[in-house]
Amino acid sequence: MSSAASSHQTHSKRKKIKLTGVAIAVGGIFAVGPTLAADGADKSTDIGNIQDVIVTTGTRDTQKAARESLSPIDVISAAELQKTGQTDLRDALVKLSPSITRQAMGADAANLTSALTMRGLSPNHVLVLVNGKRRHTSANITADAGPQQGSTPVDIDLIPVSAVDHIEILRDGAAAQYGSDAIAGVINIILKSSSRGGSATTSVGQYNAGDGLNFGGAADIGTELGRDGFLHLSAEYRNQDHTNRGGIDSRTNTSINKILGDPEIKRESVAFNAGYAINDDVELYGFGTYAHRTSASYQNYRLPTVLPSIYPNGFTPQETSSENDYSLTGGIRGDKLGAWHWDLSSTYGGDDINIGMTDSANTSLFAATGSTPTGFHLAQYKNFQWTNNLDVGRPVDIGFLPAPLNISLGAEHRQETYQVGAGDAASSFGSGSQALPGLGALSVGSFSRNVLASYADFSTKLTPQWEVDLAGRFEHYSDAGNTTNGKFSTRYELDPRLAVRATVSTGFRAPSLAQEYYTSLAVSPTSATGLLGVNSAAARSLGAQPLKPEKSTSFNVGIVAEPVDKLSITVDAYQIGIKDRIVQGGSYSGQTAIDALTSSGLNLPSGLTSVQASYFANGVDTRTRGVDIVASYKTNLKEWGKIDWDFGANLNQTSVTRVAKDANGNILLNAQQIGYLTSATPRNKLIVGGVWTKDKWGTSLHVTRFGKTSTEATYYTGPNAFSTTTFNHIENTPKFITDLEVRYSFTNSFQVALGANNLFNVYPTKLPPENRYLGVSQYNIYSSQIGINGAFYYLRANYKF
């Protein structure tokens, strides 16, 4: 991990030779990606001189080196991603960035989608770009309670890792530059763009427990596109088996219940990146991704008494998904429109998920007809996003200033559509299919909105040492109204080895269409939890009010230092205040919840001991404060090789400053829901380690310390069972994870690596027996700092050509 962006050359007039790369446009930024020189030498990302490379995220200045950035930016190269041993992009970033975390495991359908968080906030507060263009979000909303409830994240695991040249992480609020969602930060994924060479990789691994076999392969290749173009293609396949970390089921005194574990996943993905120079000044470009993923996640075991004629030994339903995700961008840009450089582009992306259930049954249908299917189609969710951008910019020479005034202007149109399709008739008849009933006609709909935006950005130097940047953005949402946001950034160089920087910005996040309209019901053997669309009559009867945008104010103050040769340090302190955060609110139980759920068309099975209903609400104001520290140091051991040391730390704390009330005057959040926001993510995360290389050998060793978390756990036995007001306060002690990889290069092209993630097989803190549902859920998946699966060992082979 390095506090910079990858090496890019500025977009300038080129000779009519073979095209050297695709220009990356980040809201008016013009830069050419990793290139091949005229002699064919590979000039792709070089992390060895990271402080001197050009930054493309968080700035519209096309010639700004990393050491000169006004906002904190990390860069993670493809080589660093690979050395983590992780086959998913999200998990690789969690290993490398102290600011990024993930939930130990998702619940129900959320277990089928990958989400990440920055600075302890929601996945909804992270904006993801690909080659500088906004990426569409998942159609799969996290419906179950927890810190990520209501999120529809960008699932970056659907982008082939083999397509990634590097990733730039902006750790700062940036809604004034990029629009909605950029409250915690921005992740910009830059695709490979070389016109020659490529690589092929295969890997296999398994957990220490003997399950979760993970295998697959990936490849990429670059080729020339005519005399003046390039095309880079990438593909990937991945297969992951189930894991099971559940405890003993209290009903059977066996480990037959397999709900606590990772799903089975099969994923195929492809990507392309292309560019073609029409002449010396105008260039066409395009890039896209496509992924197909099938998943299956175990649900709670059903006893033989549920349907003995079909399942005499009981049954374990599996929630399934079949997903198609795609994105396509096309554009044209140039250097000369008068004195302006310009970029016109259009991006269309979508996510289409079909949710099903296998090894299940509809007991109501069986009672009425004497038969029931065992497999069901439950619902279909679609999310589409069409974005059109025009960006222009130019430097203006102001005589009394030591540097030109860089002017960037732009406009954006975005259309967003969210569609919900019903399940088959058998899935919603009566009490519906076991584990998760299908959606009926009352939940079906197609919802859309239009967004219009314009921005302006001005940057210059007031003195040779003092730089300032002022950005503003206006957006109009057809359903959420208008918002205007600004950002002021500054940097002062006290010495060539020491500089201070600061930013202040406002931001916003509009409620997603899924948050406004989604309705669902999850059924366990003894309980049911319903989520009502906030605009529905049932939700309004519980006090729901229309959602409004979240508003944020962010401050960042930092230093950039190189106190001695080969040692780089950045320290950034931040504060993020968010008003009207959209969270789960209005939690009701008992007959009130039953009435609300049935009035919305959701049918409940008989014999339940607990029924709860909730909806999304602008329920709380929060304030997040923290410090990010990033450092690197190079040691030359001469005949013993060299070591690249790195250290990263994130110290983070979120507090609630206000809890709202619903339309009926009731407090929207209970102690458990407040805990999800304030203490479910680690108070701190530290990563320390290094990479040793000598001749054909290489070793990576890193230790990550995850600070303590806590939770207000639900009781499942005793007098407070299923209470929504009384909880058990549990603290999870800090955890240390060690990752090790050893590599050997047989030739300059062929390398083999053997590694371990969580080398010493560390597990999360176990819950007390009274807080384990059915005795099985022995780990709290919402507040555990680390994954639930233990040590993972892998073997990888890589060939470059």
Side-chain angles (χ1 to χ4, degrees):
M1 178 186 62
S2 306
S3 56
S6 80
S7 55
H8 287 300
Q9 298 174 346
T10 56
H11 184 79
S12 59
K13 184 174 180 178
R14 293 186 297 261
K15 295 179 180 179
K16 289 282 285 185
I17 61 173
K18 291 169 182 161
L19 189 70
T20 58
V22 63
I24 311 293
V26 186
I29 299 168
F30 296 83
V32 175
T35 63
L36 290 176
D39 61 1
D42 190 353
K43 304 297 182 182
S44 59
T45 303
D46 175 14
I47 62 173
N49 300 307
I50 202 66
Q51 289 297 317
D52 297 318
V53 300
I54 301 300
V55 175
T56 64
T57 307
T59 176
R60 303 189 190 280
D61 184 343
T62 62
Q63 300 188 28
K64 184 172 298 301
R67 65 175 70 250
E68 303 168 333
S69 63
L70 278 66
S71 299
I73 301 174
D74 299 331
V75 63
I76 294 174
S77 69
E80 290 174 293
L81 292 171
Q82 187 177 79
K83 289 172 185 176
T84 65
Q86 298 291 336
T87 57
D88 295 331
L89 201 51
R90 175 196 61 176
D91 291 341
L93 290 183
V94 172
K95 290 288 185 183
L96 294 167
S97 174
S99 300
I100 294 178
T101 56
R102 57 158 292 184
Q103 192 169 292
M105 173 186 152
D108 290 317
N111 206 22
L112 310 177
T113 296
S114 301
L116 58 78
T117 64
M118 289 180 65
R119 292 179 164 178
L121 297 176
S122 166
N124 287 334
H125 296 139
V126 180
L127 176 65
V128 176
L129 312 174
V130 176
N131 281 358
K133 306 299 183 184
R134 177 182 285 263
R135 178 82 174 182
H136 64 276
T137 60
S138 172
N140 186 20
I141 188 171
T142 300
D144 285 58
Q148 297 186 5
Q149 186 174 36
S151 64
T152 49
V154 175
D155 193 335
I156 61 175
D157 285 351
L158 297 176
I159 299 172
V161 178
S162 60
V164 177
D165 179 80
H166 70 281
I167 297 175
E168 299 173 6
I169 303 173
L170 172 64
R171 293 180 279 109
D172 197 12
Q177 296 165 297
Y178 301 111
S180 179
D181 306 341
I183 291 178
V186 178
I187 296 175
N188 188 12
I189 299 171
I190 309 299
L191 303 179
K192 293 178 180 177
S193 57
S194 59
S195 59
R196 299 181 191 176
S199 66
T201 302
T202 184
S203 65
V204 61
Q206 192 171 42
Y207 288 101
N208 183 72
D211 58 5
L213 178 67
N214 189 311
F215 63 89
D220 72 277
I221 187 171
T223 184
E224 297 172 355
L225 194 62
R227 291 186 55 218
D228 300 303
F230 79 94
L231 173 65
H232 203 100
L233 301 173
S234 307
E236 186 173 276
Y237 170 77
R238 182 58 48 187
N239 186 96
Q240 171 188 296
D241 286 350
H242 288 286
T243 63
N244 177 22
R245 299 296 178 269
I248 300 299
D249 194 316
S250 58
R251 300 167 300 169
T252 64
N253 289 320
T254 70
S255 56
I256 195 171
N257 196 327
K258 298 178 286 187
I259 190 172
L260 190 67
D262 285 348
E264 178 186 71
I265 296 176
K266 292 181 174 64
R267 184 179 70 231
E268 306 90 27
S269 55
V270 295
F272 82 93
N273 194 16
Y276 188 86
I278 298 175
N279 55 42
D280 288 354
D281 303 313
V282 179
E283 182 179 31
L284 292 170
Y285 65 92
F287 54 90
T289 64
Y290 170 78
H292 175 68
R293 178 172 60 189
T294 57
S295 309
S297 181
Y298 288 126
Q299 304 301 295
N300 276 301
Y301 170 74
R302 266 59 180 179
L303 295 171
T305 54
V306 172
L307 202 58
S309 59
I310 296 180
Y311 294 110
N313 298 316
F315 59 102
T316 300
Q318 288 196 65
E319 186 172 358
T320 65
S321 71
S322 177
E323 181 174 9
N324 291 292
D325 184 276
Y326 50 87
S327 179
L328 179 64
T329 295
I332 183 171
R333 61 182 149 229
D335 280 337
K336 292 182 178 179
L337 184 63
W340 298 82
H341 51 71
W342 54 276
D343 185 349
L344 179 65
S345 67
S346 183
T347 300
Y348 187 83
D351 188 43
D352 184 344
I353 304 178
N354 285 281
I355 302 294
M357 191 71 68
T358 62
D359 302 325
S360 183
N362 185 329
T363 55
S364 296
L365 183 62
F366 184 83
T369 66
S371 65
T372 175
T374 57
F376 303 88
H377 170 63
L378 303 183
Q380 182 177 27
Y381 302 107
K382 297 181 180 180
N383 187 58
F384 307 107
Q385 182 176 283
W386 180 32
T387 306
N388 303 289
N389 292 96
L390 173 63
D391 303 293
V392 298
R394 62 167 296 181
V396 177
D397 191 11
I398 307 293
F400 60 87
L401 293 175
L405 174 66
N406 293 301
I407 302 174
S408 298
L409 306 172
E412 177 177 294
H413 165 260
R414 188 167 72 251
Q415 184 181 72
E416 300 174 348
T417 302
Y418 176 65
Q419 296 178 352
V420 180
D424 57 46
S427 71
S428 59
F429 178 87
S431 59
S433 49
Q434 286 282 312
L436 185 67
L439 293 184
L442 291 178
S443 301
V444 173
S446 180
F447 316 98
S448 63
R449 67 183 175 198
N450 286 282
V451 184
L452 297 174
S454 61
Y455 77 84
D457 191 297
F458 305 92
S459 65
T460 190
K461 288 187 175 182
L462 300 180
T463 71
Q465 296 80 29
W466 186 14
E467 184 173 3
V468 295
D469 189 301
L470 180 64
R473 187 180 182 99
F474 171 82
E475 296 205 349
H476 169 74
Y477 279 74
S478 59
D479 63 339
N482 301 332
T483 181
T484 302
N485 295 279
K487 181 175 183 178
F488 175 75
S489 307
T490 185
R491 180 184 184 276
Y492 191 85
E493 188 173 280
L494 301 170
D495 180 88
R497 290 180 178 267
L498 178 64
V500 294
R501 61 190 179 193
T503 66
V504 58
S505 64
T506 60
F508 82 105
R509 180 191 164 270
S512 69
L513 293 172
Q515 286 178 323
E516 294 183 288
Y517 297 103
Y518 181 83
T519 296
S520 72
L521 178 69
V523 180
S524 296
T526 61
S527 64
T529 302
L531 181 63
L532 300 169
V534 67
N535 294 323
S536 68
R540 289 197 299 270
S541 71
L542 299 181
Q545 302 177 80
L547 295 177
K548 52 188 178 181
E550 302 174 344
K551 300 290 182 69
S552 69
T553 303
S554 299
F555 301 91
N556 189 93
V557 179
I559 63 171
V560 182
E562 189 179 345
V564 297
D565 290 344
K566 301 180 182 179
L567 173 62
S568 297
I569 302 173
T570 66
V571 181
D572 291 274
Y574 59 86
Q575 175 177 294
I576 307 170
I578 306 178
K579 294 183 63 178
D580 298 319
R581 280 187 66 169
I582 299 173
V583 295
Q584 176 200 27
S587 295
Y588 290 83
S589 59
Q591 193 60 46
T592 302
I594 294 173
D595 293 342
L597 293 173
T598 54
S599 69
S600 66
L602 299 173
N603 296 316
L604 297 166
S606 59
L608 297 175
T609 59
S610 171
V611 177
Q612 298 181 11
S614 62
Y615 51 82
F616 293 122
N618 294 104
V620 68
D621 297 348
T622 63
R623 181 179 61 227
T624 299
R625 289 174 171 168
V627 178
D628 288 325
I629 304 172
V630 177
S632 63
Y633 183 71
K634 298 179 183 298
T635 302
N636 190 339
L637 304 178
K638 298 182 179 180
E639 67 269 19
W640 297 101
K642 64 177 183 178
I643 301 177
D644 293 335
W645 301 98
D646 58 83
F647 172 79
N650 172 252
L651 314 177
N652 191 81
Q653 183 173 5
T654 295
S655 58
V656 168
T657 58
R658 182 186 68 93
V659 178
K661 296 181 179 180
D662 64 19
N664 298 327
N666 300 311
I667 296 293
L668 280 169
L669 274 70
N670 59 30
Q672 184 180 70
Q673 293 163 323
I674 292 174
Y676 289 149
L677 302 175
T678 61
S679 61
T681 55
R683 186 64 58 87
N684 50 69
K685 178 183 173 185
L686 286 73
I687 306 172
V688 61
V691 178
W692 172 78
T693 55
K694 182 184 184 298
D695 300 327
K696 296 182 178 182
W697 288 95
T699 300
S700 301
L701 176 63
H702 287 87
V703 176
T704 303
R705 179 191 186 274
F706 295 88
K708 76 171 184 177
T709 63
S710 63
T711 187
E712 303 300 318
T714 300
Y715 286 101
Y716 293 110
T717 60
N720 295 314
F722 296 99
S723 172
T724 58
T725 57
T726 302
F727 305 99
N728 189 8
H729 179 78
I730 298 171
E731 293 195 353
N732 301 307
T733 57
K735 299 293 181 181
F736 290 84
I737 297 296
T738 302
D739 301 319
L740 174 66
E741 180 180 283
V742 178
R743 298 174 294 278
Y744 182 79
S745 298
F746 290 89
T747 69
N748 290 334
S749 300
F750 181 63
Q751 182 186 84
V752 173
L754 181 66
N757 290 318
N758 190 0
L759 177 64
F760 300 113
N761 201 33
V762 179
Y763 280 89
T765 303
K766 288 187 176 182
L767 287 167
E770 62 269 24
N771 299 114
R772 304 180 189 180
Y773 182 64
L774 301 179
V776 177
S777 299
Q778 58 183 342
Y779 304 121
N780 189 301
I781 62 174
Y782 304 125
S783 66
S784 294
Q785 310 99 309
I786 61 176
I788 63 172
N789 289 308
F792 180 80
Y793 308 110
Y794 62 89
L795 176 67
R796 185 184 68 248
N798 183 63
Y799 180 76
K800 294 183 178 181
F801 55 90

